[in-house]
Amino acid sequence: MSGNFFRVQCPDCENEQVVFEKASSTVACAVCGTTLARPTGGKAVLEAEVTETVEAR
């Protein structure tokens, strides 16, 4: 499996959570429910600010 894990910050509540670069389903913020990533068939579109790469492969 290739792809990176990113720590992203929610633009609404500033909660941080880890998101897979190639997410196959919509990723919502665990606190407020804002969409953080949308699948596109390849790399997901990240709608939140990436604060760091947690695990690079």
Side-chain angles (χ1 to χ4, degrees):
M1 175 172 64
S2 63
N4 297 323
F5 288 91
F6 296 121
R7 183 176 308 275
V8 297
Q9 185 174 27
C10 177
D12 290 344
C13 70
E14 298 184 1
N15 176 52
E16 288 190 349
Q17 71 188 62
V18 177
V19 175
F20 186 54
E21 173 181 41
K22 297 181 179 180
S24 60
S25 60
T26 301
V27 179
C29 176
V31 175
C32 68
T34 300
T35 300
L36 301 178
R38 288 183 292 115
T40 60
K43 290 185 179 180
V45 174
L46 299 176
E47 297 180 357
E49 179 184 350
V50 176
T51 56
E52 72 174 310
T53 301
V54 178
E55 183 177 333
R57 293 186 172 218

